[in-house]
Structure formats: structure tokens, C-alpha cells
Amino acid sequence: MLSTHAPPSLIKPLFFFNFSPSFSTLSATLSPVPPVKLLRFRHCRFSIHTLIAMSAAKSNATGYSSLEHVAGSWYSVPDLRLRDHRFTVPLDYKDREASPKISIFAREVVSVGKEEQPLPYLLYLQGGPGFECPRPTEASGWIQKACEEFRVILMDQRGTGLSTPLTPSSMQQMKSAQNLVDYLKHFRADNIVNDAEFIRVRLVPDARPWTVLGQSYGGFCGVTYLSFAPQGLKQVLLTGGIPPIGDGCTADAVYRACFEQVVHQNEKYYKRFPQDVEIIRDVVTYLAESEGGGAPLPSGGILTPKGLQFLGLSGLGSSAGFERLHYLFERVWDPILVPGAQKQISSYFLNGYESWLSFDTNPLYAILHESIYCQGASSRWSAHRVRADHDSKFDAIKAAKEGRPILFTGEMIFPWMFEEFHVLRPFKDAAHLLAEKEDWSPLYDIAALKNNKVPVAAAVYYEDMYVNFKLVMETASQIGGIRLWITNEYMHSGLRDGGGQVFEHLLGMLNGKKPLF
């Protein structure tokens, strides 16, 4: 995001790098890239006759069972035409026949009048983990730009949206924490890519390769796609989503690097809103001195100083986050209507706090968050361990007593959340088992990435609080032929905030509209 109050040092360069797999260090070259080929909505009812006809046609044309793919009729939102698809896929692709089946939902989107045109396909992979795709309400932003030349597929990743969603209530059907872990282990990037390939060969004519656009965690999935199924890819666009790819668990390295950027973002926030230093310090003192160490939350659970710091997840790293955080604290206290009435945190603030969290609708984000960094090793509550090394800065109660600014935390999940947040309590045991799990399957193949022949363009946001710049550059040096656009004009949410500009820029880097150097 281009900040409306950008510091004087703001830069807007367009740096292009071509990485050669034969070099281990980053280098800017003048050689050309190798010539390789790269809100809610009202659900429409299906026409049963249409479903049967379309499914039968698909079965006859491809040889796949109609039970594996059911397509709906076209419907409209302003300037767009949409069609829903449901695919029945195995929970475990390693044992396809015996595995239980789950449903994967994907929405096909085209510009009005282009329903029957032979457009190339573009698959969008949403950020997360554990979040569904956007629900278009009109032609706008990157979707509008993409629909100028693509047939866009918005796939709800397994466990989200309409893809056999794992909600707080549905997961409680599991009889034990271990049963839940055995189920959840199939919901990482490797199987998201398996689902994408399952869909591609059934949906795209002649099973041709498609373009993939991955935002944030969706970019992580895109790199997994490059590792294990490059035959399905025509080109890949990554926005704020290049993962660390080392063996074992890379979470420790991620959080060590991210804590540094989080401190920087806190400094920028308080420079923008210095009046909030005292307000937030007073809130921390109030919470620490309250009975039970915090204030009861409307949906259950308790707001503690540590929980208050969690507001940094959304407030420090996304567009308008600083402003939203400041306005939330404007109404943190109830007014004193009766002399002598007890000071208390307002219901407005407590409800606003919970609205910033999405654990009630998207619990997978908390439960699976650290596992996205694991390959054959456990995370052992990485963020919690790394934070202990920074307690001198992030101990909120100590900072309040010493008169220092309270530092918010960033994209980190901690074990205490499964006690303090009511909706996560039933999954405490499963979360601990996942944190200790060691036998995670591989997510990346470094040798395959070094020999990559799929055109890849990536937007790298210089001050990204969620995906560390230094770690991004280390990984990029291992992906053959990747081209980078490095900028601090946008933050992590650049794809959403920049309209179609980020998408258009990345596509231009691969189709010859942008210079090679």
C-alpha cells in the first residue's frame, strides 16, 4: 500500500532481478530471462437439469465420473458472470481409493459476454492458511483486470468457504484430539496443490496448463506447485508470498526476522499517533489489575495484555491498519455518566476487538499456522519460544510500569491463545499435538525449483511485516528464472489495495510489456 503519510525515505523503484540457479547469492544481471513459457454473496440455486447435462457432458468428454465434478448455471453480479463448480476429491491423495472424500468448491468468473469465449484459465490461490476466496460483488480490483483476458477460477482451499469447511462446530465432531490431528494433516499446501491439479485436468479444455496467481500464503502454495506439479503451470504470479524453503522447520528463522520488522512497524505507528502511547499503556495497566488478569470478552474468553498486543496482526501490516487501530482505541473507555462510577473498557471496543479476529469463522488459521513452515520437523510453538528472547521489549505489563510504549505483536500464534480465546479452547490438545508433530511431508523441492522452467514473476514488498524481505530474497535465489518487482509503494495487501495495477505489472513482466532490466 502507498502510505498517505509516507516517510521522506519512501522509494518507488522497480527493481528487476533475474536469478540463475547456478548462483547461490543474489545478483542483478542484465541478461534476459530464459525464454520459458509462464463479501459475501447470495448463493444461487442450481438447475438440476443443467447439472445433469453438464456433468454427463464432462464425463463423456474426459472419461471422468460425473460424480467428481458438478457444474452450476451461469449467474450475474454487476459486469461479471459467474458459475459454481463442486469437485469430490480424496482427503488423502496417497490412498485415493480408500480415503474419505471431501468437496472442493471453485467459482468461475468471466466478464459479461465472455462466457463462451476460449479464454485461458487463471487459478487464484488465497492467503491464509485457512481462508476462503473473495466473493465478487462487482467487477473491480484485480479480478476486473484479470477478467479482461482470463477465465478466473476462485478456489476455496480445502477446509474453507464451501470446501467441506472446518468450522469450530464441525471439527468438534472428531472424537479425540488425535483424530482431529490425523484429519488436519491433510490440509496443507501439498494437498491444496493436489486439489488444484484435480480441478485443472477436469475443468480446463484438454487439461492444458493454467496461470496461477498466489497471494501471501497462496504464494507459498504456488512455490509448492512449482516444486511438484510444474506440468500444470503456464506461468505463476506471486504477490507477497515467497516462502522459506529450507529443510526441517523454518519457523524459528521466520519469527526471528519478523520480530525485527514488527518493532519497526510499532515505531512507525506511535510516530503517526503519539497520543496512543499513553492510552494503550493505561489499557494494559487496567487489564493487568483486573480480576483474573483481564476483561471478559463478549463471546467468552478473556482479553489480557498479551491478547491486546495481538491487534498488531491486522493493525500494523495491512492497508489503513494504522488508522483502523487508532480509531479503535479512540473509544476504548466507557464514558463516566454517574460520578464515582467504575472505569471500564467499553463494549464498543470489546466487540471491535473480536471483530478483528477471525477464529470463530476461520479457526484453521490459528490451528495450522506454524505447520506451514514444517518439513520433517516440529515447530514446538516457535513464535512462543522466539518471543521469549524478546521479552525485554514485548513484556506489556513491564513496559507499562516503566512508562514505555506497548509493542504489538505481528503474525504469530501462541499457545496461550487456546486458553484465552473461547472459540479455540476445544482445540487446545490438538494444537499441542500439531506443534510436536515431526513427520510432516515435504512442501518444496529445491532441486526442482533451481531447474524451474515455468515463467515466474513476483511482487516483493520491501517493508512486508508478514513475509520477511531477507528470507524472500534467499528463496528467490533458488528459483530458476524468477523475476522480481521490489517496491515499498505497497504493503502486504498490495494486490487488494492496488486495484489491477499489481496484477497488470506482474503480467507485464512476463508478456514483454515490462523491460527485462
Side-chain angles (χ1 to χ4, degrees), residues 138-426:
E138 62 180 359
S140 62
W142 72 263
I143 291 179
Q144 180 180 28
K145 178 60 65 174
C147 283
E148 290 178 1
E149 54 184 296
F150 289 98
R151 191 175 294 273
V152 175
I153 304 299
L154 302 174
M155 180 184 78
D156 285 348
Q157 295 168 16
R158 52 172 50 200
T160 74
L162 294 175
S163 293
T164 309
L166 296 180
T167 64
S169 53
S170 70
M171 286 191 290
Q172 291 189 58
Q173 297 173 26
M174 297 294 173
K175 294 182 179 180
S176 70
Q178 187 60 58
N179 288 156
L180 180 57
V181 168
D182 291 340
Y183 195 83
L184 290 175
K185 69 182 182 182
H186 300 294
F187 285 76
R188 300 197 308 154
D190 48 353
N191 281 308
I192 291 171
V193 169
N194 285 332
D195 292 339
E197 279 295 274
F198 187 100
I199 291 173
R200 181 184 64 83
V201 300
R202 288 159 178 80
L203 185 62
V204 181
D206 301 319
R208 291 191 294 269
W210 56 10
T211 295
V212 166
L213 169 63
Q215 158 66 16
S216 188
Y217 176 66
F220 287 28
C221 297
V223 177
T224 300
Y225 214 145
L226 286 168
S227 295
F228 300 117
Q231 72 280 358
L233 299 170
K234 179 180 180 181
Q235 54 193 358
V236 174
L237 311 176
L238 307 175
T239 63
I242 298 180
I245 58 175
D247 290 333
C249 179
T250 58
D252 283 12
V254 168
Y255 294 126
R256 288 193 189 100
C258 285
F259 266 109
E260 297 177 9
Q261 185 62 35
V262 168
V263 171
H264 179 55
Q265 292 298 107
N266 273 280
E267 292 171 347
K268 288 165 60 179
Y269 173 76
Y270 285 119
K271 187 174 182 180
R272 178 89 62 83
F273 299 109
Q275 64 270 43
D276 288 359
V277 172
E278 184 176 353
I279 294 173
I280 296 169
R281 199 160 50 210
D282 287 346
V283 176
V284 166
T285 300
Y286 173 89
L287 293 173
E289 295 176 352
S290 297
E291 183 178 355
L297 289 166
S299 65
I302 186 172
L303 174 59
T304 66
K306 290 184 296 185
L308 188 77
Q309 290 174 287
F310 189 66
L311 284 171
L313 171 63
S314 296
L316 297 185
S318 59
S319 70
F322 284 12
E323 292 79 11
R324 292 175 60 230
L325 189 59
H326 168 70
Y327 294 139
L328 181 63
F329 276 102
E330 276 189 337
R331 293 184 58 182
V332 66
W333 301 113
D334 266 342
I336 301 298
L337 303 180
V338 178
Q342 186 177 1
K343 182 179 182 179
Q344 64 181 16
I345 294 179
S346 69
S347 59
Y348 173 90
F349 181 86
L350 294 173
N351 282 293
Y353 173 84
E354 290 201 316
S355 73
W356 278 49
L357 310 179
S358 51
F359 299 147
D360 56 337
T361 55
N362 299 83
L364 284 186
Y365 179 82
I367 298 171
L368 286 178
H369 194 270
E370 289 197 352
S371 74
I372 69 175
Y373 298 111
C374 296
Q375 298 188 96
S378 60
S379 71
R380 298 182 299 114
W381 291 115
S382 175
H384 182 69
R385 289 184 290 101
V386 174
R387 174 176 169 155
D389 297 334
H390 296 267
D391 259 357
S392 60
K393 293 181 179 179
F394 283 89
D395 186 326
I397 298 175
K398 183 179 179 181
K401 290 179 179 178
E402 295 176 353
R404 293 186 284 110
I406 307 301
L407 298 187
F408 295 100
T409 51
E411 189 175 34
M412 301 147 190
I413 299 297
F414 304 100
W416 52 262
M417 292 180 173
F418 292 85
E419 298 174 353
E420 295 185 6
F421 297 135
H422 177 75
V423 72
L424 294 180
R425 285 176 182 169

Side-chain angles (χ1 to χ4, degrees), residues 56-130:
K58 178 65 69 174
S59 178
N60 293 336
T62 66
Y64 295 115
S65 167
S66 62
L67 297 177
E68 293 180 340
H69 176 203
V70 177
S73 302
W74 288 104
Y75 58 99
S76 299
V77 300
D79 298 318
L80 294 175
R81 294 281 283 165
L82 305 93
R83 179 165 59 179
D84 298 345
H85 298 265
R86 287 172 170 81
F87 301 85
T88 301
V89 307
L91 174 69
D92 181 3
Y93 280 89
K94 294 179 180 178
D95 189 11
R96 298 171 71 112
E97 297 302 320
S99 172
K101 300 300 187 288
I102 62 174
S103 177
I104 300 297
F105 174 83
R107 179 172 284 111
E108 183 179 0
V109 186
V110 298
S111 295
V112 171
K114 294 186 176 182
E115 297 91 330
E116 304 304 323
Q117 291 186 16
L119 301 169
Y121 281 69
L122 180 145
L123 172 69
Y124 176 66
L125 295 175
Q126 170 71 25

Side-chain angles (χ1 to χ4, degrees), residues 33-38 121-122 150 209-213 226 230 233-238 452-458 479-483 506-507 509-512:
V33 178
V36 292
K37 297 179 177 180
L38 185 122
Y121 281 69
L122 180 145
F150 289 98
W210 56 10
T211 295
V212 166
L213 169 63
L226 286 168
L233 299 170
K234 179 180 180 181
Q235 54 193 358
V236 174
L237 311 176
L238 307 175
N452 172 59
K453 298 297 186 292
V454 177
V456 183
I479 302 177
I482 190 172
R483 297 191 63 209
L506 291 179
L507 199 61
M509 293 168 66
L510 299 182
N511 63 17

